[in-house]
Amino acid sequence: MIETELAIVGAGPAGLSAAIEARRAGAEVLLIDENSRPGGQLFKQIHKFFGSRSHKAGTRGMNIGTELLRESKELGIQTWLNGEVCGIEEGHKLWVVRDRSRSEIVKAKKIILSTGATENAVPFPGWELPGVMGAGAAQTMINVNRVLPGKKVIMLGSGNVGVIVAYQLLQAGAEVVAILEAAPKLGGYGVHTAKVSRAGVPFYVSHTIKQAFGTDHVEAVEIVKLDDSFKKVPGTERTLEVDTVCLATGLTPLTELAWLAGCKFCYVPVLGGHLPIHDDKMHSTQPDIFIAGDISGIEEASTAMEEGKLAGINAACELGYIAPEEAEVRSREIWDSLNSLRSGYFGQKRRDSKVSILQKSEELISYFKAMII
Amino acid sequence: MKGSLKTTGAPSLEELHNSPAYPTNEQLRKGPIAIIECIEEIPCNPCEAACSRGAITVGENITSLPKIDFEKCIACGACIAACPGLAIYIKDYTYSDTMALLSFPYEYYPLPQAGDTVQAVDRHGKYICDGKVIRVQNPKSNDHTAVITIEYPNEYFEEVVSIKRIVIS
Amino acid sequence: MCDEIICRCEEIYRSEIEAAIEDGAVTVNEIKRFTRAGMGLCQGRTCRRLVERILSEKTGIPLSEIQPSTYRQPVRPVRSDLIQEYNNKDQKED
Ligand SMILES: Cc1cc2nc3c(=O)[nH]c(=O)nc-3n(C[C@H](O)[C@H](O)[C@H](O)COP(=O)(O)OP(=O)(O)OC[C@H]3O[C@@H](n4cnc5c(N)ncnc54)[C@H](O)[C@@H]3O)c2cc1C
Ligand code: SF4
Ligand code: SF4
């Protein structure tokens, strides 16, 4: 068995930022990730990021990742790669399978879960055919493994993920036949849709895929128009020849470990569904478990990094490495920055949802306090 | 929001003319200027810092729309590759009697070469006319966003914004 | 409408899940036990939300009220000797 003060599960932007803050404060940190390389989603993001200058905007995601890695190396943060956290017991005991070949138990005083998210699927007849995949999977193939999943791609979903991956597929040399959106309005940032449009990719709003055809691989899809109540309109079917179908239909927080740990959950559709309730220190409802990043609601790398810092600082504070007053001042600064990221046409809804989660956590805390009294 | 951006993916001229950064017809034809097609409130502001002349303002609230002061802009081009949305380009109506100039961001390989004839396209990627590549700038500081400058017939001045991707067959 | 697979790991079709609901399944856990949807290699990562949606559509229970199926460790597919190894190590601790 291995003992550590702080174990962090998931080395994406949230986990790395948390590790850096906590280690810098002096805490003993063990960072665990199932991949052979840390960075989470960042190394797939070859595009320049949005955000403010203080969030490294204008820098390509992968370079932000490299920067975080450099810092974590300089601080000598102990990192287990190829380490799958398979379970959590008694609130502080992690079961880690290392290199797929041995089981290890890690006992940590505090745990930060920063496990990110999984892609949502949309079923239609034929979606089990090879060639149908998540947009994130296609992105991993082109940007990490350097393999083109196909030559003629159709993208289902026009949110930022769909549009960015479509752009990167074009850059990788594929043809993007169309981007479909079930809603009557496109979801992604206008500047992203505009650059894909300029490249000649047609967008179809109020459309979805009815079925995919092919014998041992996708060869074509039938698309169909949707009415105002998202019902398929008969007679509007059209067949498009494609060899790859990418699904970019949202993400769901990867919360399995938080459920196992007994964290209380709430359901917030804007942030991706069921997610662990947390307070303004990123504390879950379990005393020694913090959460940060996409697990606490699907957002962006910039917000994930800020939430990671919050969790890292407050975990280090509870371990006695940062004075509570200092932790509070620094947390407040981070909240200012989070609030500015969560504003405007796209961000305000997320901000309102986050406020509702914080309220839930306060209600719970006062409820439990009342029970004790 | 009615109009083209949220249904076709690209802004219409009407939407652009109604946005705070887009130049008036007069400003547009006066000489070389930077044009920003960023008409949605997103949390983003690198364009502001990229301009050493202080011509671009986003302001305290990072979701505000960028604005540009055409008196201050000298069309140096520093903002083009700094914008993660690839939403800024430079146009010059006065380049010659019949030809206009366009400098735009381009992130596909292979890059065109100076002297090449390319297919100029509109905001929907539709072929509009042929253009000729004048320069290709790709310094390290651009971090792989090349800036391509083409000349093209000025009768298509407002429509043309980019070129067709060069596909190796 | 032609049928479609919902759980790709166990190859469970929409019609089978709907039949389970008609037979009285009212939770995702029950659907899982009736049909095996969500019991495959990915442990429901792909189909979990699809099953929740079908359940909500068929029964009228709002999505917000539908409890996800129970999570159990290991949350990743692991070799069975590693489960044994974990249990041994775990017992030594106690
Ligand atoms: C196509 C695309 C484009 C994007 N573009 C932008 C953008 O322009 N700007 C922006 O700010 N954001 C962008 N994002 C979003 C951003 O990438 C995510 O919000 C961010 O990566 C979330 O960080 P995270 O640390 O929470 O999770 P992740 O980056 O997903 O990291 C989680 C890590 O935890 C690991 N893990 C999970 N479970 C376990 C376990 N049980 N054991 C061990 N390891 C585990 C995972 O393998 C992963 O490495 C984009 C996302 C996508 C998909
Ligand atoms: S072209 Fe140069 S001067 Fe004009 S706005 Fe851009 S950076 Fe500023
Ligand atoms: S950098 Fe580009 S995308 Fe960002 S605000 Fe400025 S113009 Fe818009």
Side-chain angles (χ1 to χ4, degrees):
Chain A
M1 190 193 58
I2 286 105
E3 288 191 47
T4 184
E5 289 183 324
L6 175 63
I8 301 178
V9 187
L16 279 167
S17 303
I20 289 169
E21 289 301 332
R23 181 76 200 107
R24 208 182 266 149
E28 182 191 14
V29 178
L30 173 61
L31 180 59
I32 309 167
D33 196 285
E34 61 196 334
N35 296 292
S36 54
R37 194 178 174 197
Q41 299 292 316
L42 280 178
F43 284 102
K44 292 160 45 178
Q45 312 307 341
I46 60 167
H47 58 285
K48 291 180 177 171
F49 269 29
F50 290 100
S52 75
R53 285 183 294 282
S54 53
H55 297 106
K56 304 183 178 157
T59 309
R60 295 186 191 278
M62 53 185 192
N63 297 340
I64 299 178
T66 310
E67 181 69 13
L68 286 174
L69 280 192
R70 193 187 51 74
E71 263 181 86
S72 80
K73 281 217 184 86
E74 270 172 24
L75 288 164
I77 292 167
Q78 196 191 352
T79 310
W80 284 3
L81 298 172
N82 302 310
E84 295 165 281
V85 178
C86 290
I88 181 166
E89 280 186 317
E90 296 152 30
H92 59 266
K93 208 165 75 186
L94 296 172
W95 168 17
V96 190
V97 169
R98 298 189 67 184
D99 303 314
R100 295 188 170 262
S101 60
R102 56 189 198 281
S103 281
E104 207 92 69
I105 295 175
V106 174
K107 225 176 193 166
K109 292 202 178 92
K110 301 281 167 194
I111 292 171
I112 298 176
L113 299 177
S114 44
T115 46
T118 52
E119 303 196 81
N120 293 344
V122 172
F124 44 81
W127 77 298
E128 70 280 7
L129 282 168
V132 181
M133 63 185 77
Q139 197 186 33
T140 308
M141 287 177 75
I142 51 178
N143 296 347
V144 179
N145 304 316
R146 309 270 166 170
V147 178
L148 203 56
K151 292 219 163 78
K152 290 173 85 115
V153 186
I154 188 164
M155 181 69 65
L156 185 62
S158 72
N160 281 332
V161 171
V163 184
I164 291 171
V165 174
Y167 181 61
Q168 293 175 355
L169 282 161
L170 292 171
Q171 289 179 308
E175 182 192 343
V176 179
V177 176
I179 300 180
L180 305 188
E181 171 58 57
K185 264 199 220 162
L186 299 175
Y189 290 168
V191 283
H192 282 319
T193 57
K195 79 184 168 196
V196 179
S197 171
R198 226 179 287 151
V201 177
F203 285 89
Y204 295 87
V205 289
S206 300
H207 269 82
T208 193
I209 295 176
K210 190 172 167 189
Q211 53 186 321
F213 308 104
T215 38
D216 52 11
H217 198 276
V218 181
E219 286 158 26
V221 288
E222 190 174 49
I223 66 169
V224 65
K225 211 171 153 37
L226 297 171
D227 67 14
D228 294 343
S229 45
F230 294 92
K231 292 231 157 56
K232 299 183 179 87
V233 182
T236 59
E237 293 86 355
R238 215 173 335 164
T239 302
L240 301 176
E241 224 179 90
V242 298
D243 59 17
T244 306
V245 180
C246 286
L247 308 176
T249 45
L251 300 161
T252 298
L254 188 54
T255 54
E256 43 204 6
L257 294 172
W259 286 105
L260 285 178
C263 298
K264 294 260 177 303
F265 275 69
C266 55
Y267 183 78
V268 187
V270 176
L271 293 172
H274 284 283
L275 41 101
I277 295 174
H278 65 80
D279 66 8
D280 57 359
K281 299 185 170 102
M282 302 314 294
H283 222 282
S284 74
T285 54
Q286 285 294 347
D288 296 322
I289 296 182
F290 293 80
I291 56 168
D294 277 354
I295 183 181
S296 75
I298 306 301
E299 293 192 87
E300 305 195 311
S302 41
T303 45
M305 287 187 275
E306 296 293 8
E307 286 194 343
K309 285 186 205 159
L310 269 180
I313 288 170
N314 286 295
C317 172
E318 286 183 19
L319 288 165
Y321 289 100
I322 299 178
E325 305 75 42
E326 191 196 331
E328 202 177 315
V329 172
R330 293 177 62 191
S331 299
R332 219 172 300 130
E333 279 169 17
I334 298 173
W335 272 102
D336 286 344
S337 148
L338 276 170
N339 286 339
S340 85
L341 286 168
R342 292 171 182 149
S343 66
Y345 173 73
F346 291 92
Q348 190 63 42
K349 269 190 285 188
R350 287 188 275 124
R351 180 168 172 181
D352 296 343
S353 304
K354 278 284 176 180
V355 169
S356 78
I357 295 174
L358 296 185
Q359 272 164 358
K360 281 203 185 87
S361 109
E362 266 169 37
E363 278 162 29
L364 271 179
I365 290 165
S366 47
Y367 172 77
F368 285 124
K369 275 194 185 138
M371 300 249 293
I372 295 164
I373 297 162
Chain B
M1 209 191 313
K2 197 184 146 282
S4 152
L5 182 66
K6 292 321 254 182
T7 51
T8 70
S12 64
L13 279 177
E14 195 192 338
E15 283 172 318
L16 288 172
H17 284 293
N18 288 332
S19 76
Y22 202 76
T24 61
N25 276 333
E26 195 191 314
Q27 287 165 331
L28 195 56
R29 284 171 174 74
K30 230 169 72 184
I33 51 162
I35 300 169
I36 306 182
E37 298 197 1
C38 177
I39 64 170
E40 234 174 22
E41 293 182 341
I42 54 174
C44 187
N45 68 4
C47 49
E48 189 176 46
C51 178
S52 57
R53 300 239 140 200
I56 305 180
T57 354
V58 174
E60 190 58 18
N61 184 354
I62 67 163
T63 51
S64 303
L65 294 183
K67 285 188 221 38
I68 177 161
D69 181 344
F70 296 108
E71 297 297 317
K72 290 187 183 155
C73 172
I74 53 160
C76 69
C79 49
I80 299 178
C83 166
L86 306 192
I88 311 180
Y89 53 82
I90 287 179
K91 275 185 182 172
D92 182 4
Y93 190 72
T94 60
Y95 181 59
S96 80
D97 285 349
T98 53
M99 292 294 198
L101 211 62
L102 164 70
S103 301
F104 60 94
Y106 188 82
E107 295 188 328
Y108 301 103
Y109 286 120
L111 293 174
Q113 304 286 316
D116 284 358
T117 298
V118 286
Q119 297 182 297
V121 297
D122 69 4
R123 291 174 182 79
H124 294 291
K126 200 178 94 199
Y127 170 78
I128 299 292
C129 58
D130 279 355
K132 197 176 103 195
V133 178
I134 304 291
R135 280 193 294 283
V136 176
Q137 292 157 293
N138 196 14
K140 212 163 174 224
S141 57
N142 279 16
D143 190 10
H144 299 94
T145 307
V147 175
I148 314 285
T149 302
I150 61 166
E151 62 167 30
Y152 65 103
N154 64 13
E155 63 196 277
Y156 307 111
F157 187 57
E158 264 195 283
E159 287 153 88
V160 168
V161 290
S162 191
I163 58 169
K164 248 201 178 81
R165 227 172 3 127
I166 299 157
V167 183
I168 359 159
S169 43
Chain C
M1 203 183 112
C2 38
D3 211 357
E4 62 202 13
I5 285 184
I6 297 296
C7 171
R8 297 203 286 194
C9 300
E10 295 287 314
E11 298 194 3
I12 310 299
Y13 283 83
R14 177 185 282 269
S15 56
E16 295 172 75
I17 290 167
E18 289 180 343
I21 298 170
E22 275 152 29
D23 285 346
V26 287
T27 64
V28 182
N29 269 340
E30 281 166 357
I31 295 175
K32 186 163 149 182
R33 293 200 183 106
F34 278 36
T35 66
R36 289 196 62 80
M39 285 194 180
L41 194 66
C42 88
Q43 286 291 294
R45 270 212 209 178
T46 312
C47 69
R48 168 186 297 278
R49 294 203 67 177
L50 305 176
V51 173
E52 288 170 13
R53 189 165 288 273
I54 296 172
L55 184 60
S56 166
E57 278 165 11
K58 289 279 289 183
T59 60
I61 306 170
L63 268 177
S64 56
E65 316 256 296
I66 288 186
Q67 275 297 311
S69 61
T70 320
Y71 289 85
R72 280 198 188 78
Q73 54 184 40
V75 298
R76 291 286 184 283
V78 292
R79 269 182 7 220
S80 49
D81 61 318
L82 298 180
I83 302 180
Q84 193 54 44
E85 191 184 2
Y86 169 72
N87 286 338
N88 291 344
K89 282 194 176 177
D90 199 26
Q91 261 151 27
K92 253 197 277 160
E93 303 303 324
D94 296 333

